Amino acid sequence: MPKQKDHDPAKRPRRLHLVLGDQLDPQSAALADLDPDRDAVWMAETHAEATHVWCHKLRLIVFFSAMRHFRDELTDKGITVHYHELTTAPSKDRGKDFAEVLIKDAKKLKPQSLVVTQPGDFRVDDMLEQAADELDLELDVRDDEHFFNTPDQFAEWADGKKDLVQEMFYRRMRKRDHILLTKDGKPVGGDWNYDADNRETFGKSGPPSIRKRPHNFRPDDTTKNVIDMIEKRFADHPGNTNHFDYPVTRAEALTYLRDFVEHRLADFGPYEDAMWTDAPFLYHSRLSQALNMKLLNPRECIEKAIDAYENNNAPLQSVEGFVRQLIGWREFIRGVYFHQGRGYLKRNALGNDPDADVPSFYWDGDTDMACVKDVMQSVINHAWAHHIPRLMVTGLLATLLGVHPRKFHDWHMAMYVDAIDWASAPNTIGMASYGDGGVVGTKPYAASGNYINKMSNYCKNCRYHPKHATGDTACPFTTLYWDFLDRHRDAFKSNARMAFQVKNIDRKRQTGEIKQIRKQAKQLKQHMLGKANASA
């Protein structure tokens, strides 16, 4: 590891270019005009970033290791990097958060101005603005060119629209950037969206044999040092560090991309919504971590996927599904985050108890629900699960229980390796919890245990029956689903997409069945959330 340069007042930088842990791109806007002879880079590992939520150990390892590798790459290019590195001794920290460390460092370095690519977290943005104000320095915040849209461009599209329909945004993106279009501007294959073809299940036989992922990401000395520090300083944090296999450099991220395109992309589309016991990855790319840290660019991912289609190595339904995740969903939720603003994180459209937190088994996996236990084992071991377990297992259960959207969001931010505020908030507060009242999804993603039974084999070996709403074998998802609909019936009665569910709950009210369901639901919530939140 290159020796870190000491602060030298004689080498006062003209500009201090700030690089955050999710901006590890040497081509980023913040570094575009950096002059190695006149400017310097500033990076910081801080205690606050590890503890503002109870961060998974793997999440901490991935971020701090990737940051240290990026620092070393810049140093090897002759760029001066002022880096705040956490050690096992908190007393050696120069500050608890970005603002404190930056203020202390800038007072020594005396730069003329600060430069940063727009943070993807309002909390971090506020800290940097605070530091710049205290230092009385200009903070040049530049658009993040990693994305296809700036927040202003998204706002231009969104302003004046009653509903922000993701499908319409996706088609606009395809047209604007001529992605998967014919020469006359029509969608390749004739359809814009092959989502209806991408809901296959594995049946009784389960998923076919899947090639193992590359194992060349074993920790090097830099990563080993980070692991040692994490295990000692953050020993009580959740997660298992024995399964570390994430890319922490751009070269490793490119290997991950190549492996996905060659060995998993072809089957990704049909089975992207399927789940199976002890098979957390299936055909998913797991590129979100590398993309969100900017080790990969979405443009190169799309290019590789389309090349696979054009060379008959992957079907259109899989390639379109992958492209839609990147330019449709990923761009859309980032746009929503900035368009809705800071108040979005406080949304609670269903009026959930502010103190209603996720159950304890969200941290340790100690539950007898087969689906939740399997998903949580993946989260504990890998700090990852694909989008259906996130939405329709952990997200669904939290929603049915009445967990406050921000509490679920904070858990998601803590436990997933790819979680960045801009990416998590619209998915947790909006999509999963319906906390935004319909900004992201036009209806709540509420379902009974029957959905999980259809899309997985979890129910086969579970003591609960997905069709039972009451009794000893009642599936908690099914019981809580009907309880959820009954509690919020008046809020959903005017939603056309909820008409079928409202009719069903009305029938259960008429027969009196709902009384026993509500009684059992209350017992479930007392057990999972504690008595204080049982009325949520």
Side-chain angles (χ1 to χ4, degrees):
M1 182 182 74
K3 183 179 179 181
Q4 292 305 295
K5 299 181 180 181
D6 295 329
H7 298 303
D8 184 354
K11 295 182 179 180
R12 175 186 179 188
R14 175 187 57 168
R15 291 189 301 235
L16 202 55
H17 295 250
L18 316 182
V19 174
L20 305 176
D22 62 336
Q23 299 177 348
L24 307 182
D25 177 7
Q27 306 302 318
S28 73
L31 301 177
D33 55 353
L34 182 144
D35 183 344
D37 295 326
R38 304 175 65 193
D39 305 320
V41 167
W42 179 89
M43 301 177 69
E45 302 167 17
T46 70
H47 188 79
E49 292 309 298
T51 58
H52 76 280
V53 290
W54 196 30
C55 281
H56 194 297
K57 291 177 182 176
L58 276 181
R59 175 176 165 81
L60 297 179
I61 292 167
V62 168
F63 270 87
F64 293 158
S65 176
M67 288 171 66
R68 294 184 189 188
H69 280 91
F70 189 73
R71 168 202 63 193
D72 296 346
E73 290 169 10
L74 293 180
T75 302
D76 288 343
K77 294 177 181 178
I79 296 171
T80 299
V81 182
H82 299 281
Y83 193 96
H84 180 257
E85 184 175 294
L86 291 182
T87 69
T88 56
S91 60
K92 294 183 179 180
D93 295 355
R94 294 200 295 276
K96 68 178 185 298
D97 58 28
F98 286 128
E100 276 194 28
V101 179
L102 179 56
I103 289 168
K104 287 183 179 179
D105 288 354
K107 285 182 177 179
K108 292 180 180 179
L109 294 167
K110 296 181 172 33
Q112 298 174 27
S113 64
L114 307 173
V115 178
V116 70
T117 298
Q118 183 173 38
D121 187 325
F122 290 128
R123 178 184 56 85
V124 174
D125 185 51
D126 291 342
M127 281 193 286
L128 297 181
E129 291 283 358
Q130 170 197 336
D133 287 345
E134 185 166 331
L135 292 164
D136 195 25
L137 288 175
E138 175 193 358
L139 178 62
D140 179 6
V141 181
R142 300 177 177 179
D143 286 332
D144 194 337
E145 297 173 354
H146 166 92
F147 295 96
F148 287 79
N149 292 279
T150 66
D152 287 345
Q153 288 172 328
F154 183 88
E156 184 180 348
W157 171 80
D159 284 345
K161 288 182 170 59
K162 182 179 179 181
D163 297 307
L164 303 182
V165 181
Q166 184 267 342
E167 178 66 21
M168 295 299 101
F169 173 79
Y170 170 57
R171 294 184 185 187
R172 169 183 173 271
M173 292 291 297
R174 290 265 300 271
K175 293 174 183 176
R176 189 195 75 179
D177 294 350
H178 203 81
I179 296 172
L180 283 177
L181 294 185
T182 61
K183 291 182 179 180
D184 59 356
K186 301 291 179 62
V188 170
D191 293 315
W192 289 103
N193 188 319
Y194 292 89
D195 192 44
D197 298 325
N198 290 350
R199 297 169 184 167
E200 297 293 326
T201 64
F202 293 121
K204 295 181 180 180
S205 59
S209 177
I210 302 173
R211 182 180 182 271
K212 290 185 178 181
R213 293 177 182 275
H215 289 282
N216 60 334
F217 303 146
R218 290 173 183 159
D220 59 10
D221 287 343
T222 298
T223 302
K224 287 178 181 177
N225 288 334
V226 173
I227 292 174
D228 181 67
M229 184 271 289
I230 298 300
E231 290 284 25
K232 291 176 180 176
R233 180 164 177 168
F234 303 103
D236 64 336
H237 280 229
N240 187 337
T241 65
N242 296 330
H243 299 83
F244 180 85
D245 67 344
Y246 283 104
V248 292
T249 66
R250 173 161 170 76
E252 291 179 343
L254 287 170
T255 298
Y256 239 54
L257 172 60
R258 183 169 59 252
D259 179 78
F260 166 66
V261 171
E262 292 180 1
H263 302 290
R264 292 169 233 290
L265 175 59
D267 292 306
F268 164 72
Y271 300 114
E272 66 176 292
D273 285 3
M275 300 176 284
W276 199 259
T277 303
D278 295 327
F281 308 139
L282 295 171
Y283 300 104
H284 291 263
S285 71
R286 271 211 300 169
L287 293 174
S288 52
Q289 167 258 329
L291 278 162
N292 290 355
M293 296 177 76
K294 316 298 167 56
L295 297 175
L296 287 176
N297 190 293
R299 295 167 183 81
E300 64 191 338
C301 296
I302 290 172
E303 180 183 342
K304 296 292 184 185
I306 292 176
D307 283 348
Y309 166 68
E310 292 177 343
N311 288 297
N312 297 315
N313 292 322
L316 180 59
Q317 72 181 92
S318 290
V319 172
E320 185 277 321
F322 180 65
V323 169
R324 180 161 23 97
Q325 284 195 340
L326 291 177
I327 65 165
W329 191 245
R330 188 169 185 262
E331 292 284 327
F332 179 74
I333 62 169
R334 180 175 182 264
V336 167
Y337 179 79
F338 284 105
H339 187 59
Q340 293 294 310
R342 286 163 172 76
Y344 189 81
L345 297 171
K346 299 178 182 178
R347 298 284 184 87
N348 183 21
L350 297 180
N352 292 353
D353 185 336
D355 294 324
D357 208 340
V358 296
S360 62
F361 54 76
Y362 272 55
W363 301 102
D364 58 25
D366 186 12
T367 175
D368 60 357
M369 289 180 282
C371 57
V372 179
K373 189 178 187 68
D374 186 76
V375 172
M376 283 311 310
Q377 202 58 53
S378 172
V379 175
I380 290 166
N381 286 339
H382 306 289
W384 190 87
H386 73 73
H387 64 280
I388 294 301
R390 295 195 203 202
L391 176 64
M392 299 306 296
V393 179
T394 58
L396 173 60
L397 182 58
T399 300
L400 299 183
L401 283 169
V403 170
H404 191 276
R406 181 59 187 265
K407 298 285 189 182
F408 178 63
H409 171 61
D410 286 348
W411 173 81
H412 190 277
M413 284 290 294
M415 292 297 278
Y416 285 100
V417 70
D418 55 5
I420 310 294
D421 207 50
W422 66 263
S424 288
N427 275 303
T428 55
I429 293 171
M431 186 80 165
S433 300
Y434 198 68
D436 65 6
V439 174
V440 172
T442 54
K443 73 177 185 69
Y445 276 79
S448 71
N450 289 323
Y451 174 85
I452 295 172
N453 187 39
K454 175 186 175 182
M455 299 306 299
S456 74
N457 69 331
Y458 289 141
C459 300
K460 178 182 178 181
N461 297 311
C462 186
R463 83 172 191 85
Y464 300 111
H465 196 293
K467 293 186 180 299
H468 297 173
T470 59
D472 291 341
T473 60
C475 173
F477 280 90
T478 302
T479 304
L480 293 168
Y481 168 71
W482 292 115
D483 173 74
F484 172 81
L485 290 179
D486 185 58
R487 282 186 287 121
H488 298 295
R489 187 237 179 236
D490 289 345
F492 299 149
K493 65 182 180 181
S494 59
N495 187 326
R497 296 192 66 197
M498 294 293 289
F500 179 73
Q501 289 90 331
V502 170
K503 287 181 180 179
N504 282 339
I505 198 62
D506 284 347
R507 279 195 287 268
K508 290 190 180 296
R509 284 182 168 186
Q510 291 167 3
T511 63
E513 183 184 357
I514 196 63
K515 292 181 180 179
Q516 185 59 35
I517 290 175
R518 290 294 300 269
K519 181 179 179 181
Q520 185 144 344
K522 183 176 181 179
Q523 293 171 346
L524 279 171
K525 285 185 278 188
Q526 286 178 335
H527 175 66
M528 294 183 188
L529 298 178
K531 293 182 180 180
N533 298 314
S535 61

